[in-house]
């Protein structure tokens, strides 16, 4: 039996499939209406996956925002994921999240942990990084007891300086995080968060993103998936926090620069 599982970031409309797929079962995971740096609660999940939804009653939230679902049958599952967009600003737009797709052989009883990335927030100046979308298989009770299946990185936050705007960079499909505008800092590798940029960096699968380079007094770096995946905390204004899924938080009112995105490895923020 071949089942298809679709995981989308910020999905608000119905998924329409061609007639060829009507014999297949589709499971569509969403952000359940949550926005900003924290993911959906169990109540939001229950209110979203109702009625005839194939996920009705089947999703548990043990860590806020991370959805746990038990595979119902042996089979090959096609999993398709999108990272979330970075935060928009006055004259610039956040980068688009990456798209990833693959087939995976799963067994009945396997538990998947699914984090649907959320868009970074932005105002007239700086945008937070977009969150990555993660699908991993649970192998134990600790947060690090996982096997990564597929992860799509988010897009970088944008930045507006006077009338000159820098759009955020799109998410990447490789295992290394991307640079922010200005090619500053050190992108994450092998599941780590980004570091060393003037604006906050995004978190990776295993380690958090770094705080903004101009100050060590904030927790603006996005959290790693294994640490809950929250977007970066408020650096200055709540209107520019990172998206759930490890997006970094931007300053918000002084054109420090757009923040890095979350993903398998976190991206860096811009230089200014």
């Amino acid at each position: 039996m071949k089942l298809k599982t679709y995981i989308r970031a910020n999905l608000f409309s119905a998924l329409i499939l061609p007639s060829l797929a009507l014999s297949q079962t589709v499971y569509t995971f969403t952000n359940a209406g949550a926005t900003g740096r924290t993911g959906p609660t169990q109540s939001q999940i229950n209110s979203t996956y109702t009625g005839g939804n194939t996920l009705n009653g089947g999703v548990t939230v043990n860590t806020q925002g991370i959805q746990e679902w038990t595979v119902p049958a042996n089979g090959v599952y096609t999993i398709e994921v999108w990272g979330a967009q970075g935060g928009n600003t006055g004259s610039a737009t956040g980068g688009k999240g990456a798209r990833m797709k693959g087939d995976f052989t799963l067994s009945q009883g396997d538990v998947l942990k699914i984090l649907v990335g959320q868009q970074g927030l932005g105002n007239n100046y700086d945008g937070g990084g977009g969150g990555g979308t993660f699908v991993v298989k649970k192998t134990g009770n600790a947060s690090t007891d996982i096997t990564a299946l597929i992860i799509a990185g988010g897009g970088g936050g944008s930045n507006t300086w006077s009338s000159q705007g820098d759009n955020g960079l799109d998410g990447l499909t490789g295992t290394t995080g991307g640079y922010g505008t200005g090619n500053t800092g050190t992108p994450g590798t092998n599941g780590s968060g980004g570091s060393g940029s003037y604006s906050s960096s995004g978190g990776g699968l295993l380690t958090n993103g770094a705080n903004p380079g101009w100050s060590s007094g904030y927790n603006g770096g996005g959290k790693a998936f294994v640490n809950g995946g929250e977007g970066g905390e408020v650096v200055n204004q709540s209107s520019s926090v990172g998206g759930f899924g490890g997006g970094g938080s931007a300053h918000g009112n002084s054109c420090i620069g757009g923040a890095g995105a979350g993903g398998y490895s976190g991206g860096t923020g811009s230089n200014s």
Side-chain angles (χ1 to χ4, degrees):
M1 178 171 57
K2 184 173 183 179
L3 307 180
K4 283 195 174 182
T5 302
Y6 285 86
I7 300 92
R8 282 182 183 265
N10 303 311
L11 177 71
F12 297 106
S13 59
L15 178 66
I16 301 175
L17 295 175
S19 58
L20 181 64
L22 293 180
S23 62
Q24 298 170 332
T25 302
V26 178
Y27 301 91
T28 302
F29 296 83
T30 77
N31 59 341
T35 58
R37 61 182 295 267
T38 58
T41 63
Q42 184 71 63
S43 177
Q44 288 174 303
I45 291 295
N46 294 343
S47 297
T48 300
Y49 303 152
T50 58
N53 191 302
T54 52
L55 294 173
N56 184 25
V59 176
T60 301
V61 176
N62 293 312
T63 299
Q64 182 170 343
I66 298 179
Q67 305 174 47
E68 297 191 18
W69 176 73
T70 302
V71 175
N74 297 339
V76 177
Y77 289 70
T78 300
I79 305 179
E80 190 169 12
V81 292
W82 287 258
Q85 185 178 5
N88 299 321
T89 54
S91 61
T93 58
K96 296 178 180 179
R99 170 185 172 272
M100 301 286 287
K101 183 177 181 180
D103 290 341
F104 301 87
T105 300
L106 301 174
S107 300
Q108 181 180 17
D110 285 343
V111 176
L112 303 188
K113 299 175 74 171
I114 299 154
L115 186 160
V116 179
Q118 294 171 191
Q119 184 174 7
L121 302 185
N123 55 21
N124 287 331
Y125 301 99
D126 305 316
T133 292
F134 299 73
V135 181
V136 306
K137 184 166 68 174
K138 188 175 181 179
T139 59
N141 294 324
S143 65
T144 53
D145 291 337
I146 55 173
T147 297
L149 299 180
I150 189 167
I151 299 168
S158 62
N159 167 245
T160 299
W161 176 257
S162 299
S163 60
Q164 187 73 29
D166 290 325
N167 295 328
L169 302 182
D170 294 340
L172 304 178
T173 57
T175 59
T176 299
Y179 287 98
T181 54
N183 291 331
T184 61
T186 304
T189 58
N190 300 317
S192 67
S195 62
S197 55
Y198 202 58
S199 191
S200 301
S201 297
L205 177 70
L206 303 175
T207 66
N208 299 339
N211 294 326
W214 54 271
S215 175
S216 60
Y218 298 95
N219 292 315
K223 296 292 180 64
F225 175 87
V226 298
N227 294 331
E230 291 181 343
E233 297 177 16
V234 176
V235 172
N236 188 316
Q237 296 186 15
S238 60
S239 59
S240 57
V241 297
F244 183 61
S249 178
H251 187 275
N253 72 350
S254 64
C255 299
I256 292 297
Y264 174 72
S265 299
T268 66
S270 59
N271 59 344
S272 61

